Amino acid sequence: MRTGAAYDQLIADLGATFRTQRTWVEGRGLFLIAGHFLSSVAAGGWLFALWWGNRPAALADYRGKVVLLNVWATWCPPCRIEMPSMERLHKTLAGTDFRIVAVSVDEDDSTVVNAFVRELGLTFDILHDQTGAIQGIYQTTGVPESFVIDRDGVIVKKVIGAVEWDGPVNEALIRRLLDAR
């Protein structure tokens, strides 16, 4: 667990915007930060790393969006099976307020996740939580597990196991959530 001076310095480096976002995110149980591979949990905020980029990313970045949050691992065959359907759904709903956030819980470093993402040609948001903390936050029992989250941050569907995300039932649910204001 990362606490004390290191956590305080991280907060100071990110500034007041980060504090505002952190408040909203803590209420949802998830905090994401990009650009640094942080392998620990900070006091009151869950830290992950967006493997490609330097800008901070928080769940607050997705506020007002419909989100498919997927917890997965590169070593998981069902995860590999469902990823192409997630990519197709991502492309189908491009230009809308729908986002896919797939959080890898691989214990290995980001090179493993990087290679997997490149191999499958994934273009949606991929994050990496080497600690697996997200599994405790969302009380998952394995991988893959997915959550459809509405614009207000409410989980409206939980799925255990691989799913064809671009199938008619799932796409209809997401479109219905997109249409709700």
Side-chain angles (χ1 to χ4, degrees), residues 129-147:
D129 170 20
Q130 285 181 286
T131 68
I134 193 168
Q135 293 175 298
I137 296 168
Y138 284 89
Q139 300 175 4
T140 64
T141 57
V143 289
E145 288 194 31
S146 302
F147 304 83

Side-chain angles (χ1 to χ4, degrees), residues 17-181:
T17 301
F18 176 83
R19 289 184 190 279
T20 302
Q21 291 177 343
R22 194 179 111 225
T23 301
W24 184 81
V25 172
E26 285 176 355
R28 301 301 185 263
L30 179 62
F31 178 74
L32 306 172
I33 188 138
H36 311 287
F37 280 94
L38 302 172
S39 61
S40 60
V41 176
W46 301 93
L47 302 181
F48 303 94
L50 189 59
W51 66 262
W52 72 86
N54 276 330
R55 78 172 183 80
L59 189 58
D61 293 340
Y62 301 101
R63 187 179 222 169
K65 311 277 191 231
V66 175
V67 176
L68 170 58
L69 175 64
N70 177 261
V71 179
W72 66 284
T74 59
W75 47 261
C76 162
C79 300
R80 179 176 286 277
I81 289 169
E82 81 174 344
M83 287 288 180
S85 71
M86 292 168 60
E87 180 65 23
R88 289 189 302 269
L89 182 63
H90 171 67
K91 288 180 177 176
T92 297
L93 297 176
T96 68
D97 282 341
F98 173 67
R99 300 294 181 271
I100 296 176
V101 181
V103 182
S104 165
V105 294
D106 281 273
E107 293 177 0
D108 295 327
D109 68 25
S110 62
T111 58
V112 174
V113 177
N114 251 341
F116 182 93
V117 170
R118 274 196 301 270
E119 178 185 340
L120 293 182
L122 304 175
T123 60
F124 50 84
D125 291 352
I126 304 288
L127 296 101
H128 186 196
D129 170 20
Q130 285 181 286
T131 68
I134 193 168
Q135 293 175 298
I137 296 168
Y138 284 89
Q139 300 175 4
T140 64
T141 57
V143 289
E145 288 194 31
S146 302
F147 304 83
V148 177
I149 303 170
D150 72 9
R151 294 178 185 274
D152 296 319
V154 176
I155 295 170
V156 296
K157 181 175 184 173
K158 176 180 179 176
V159 176
I160 298 173
V163 169
E164 283 295 317
W165 283 105
D166 62 336
V169 172
N170 288 316
E171 186 175 338
L173 169 64
I174 291 165
R175 286 188 184 277
R176 190 167 56 248
L177 293 171
L178 287 169
D179 291 341
R181 289 270 173 189

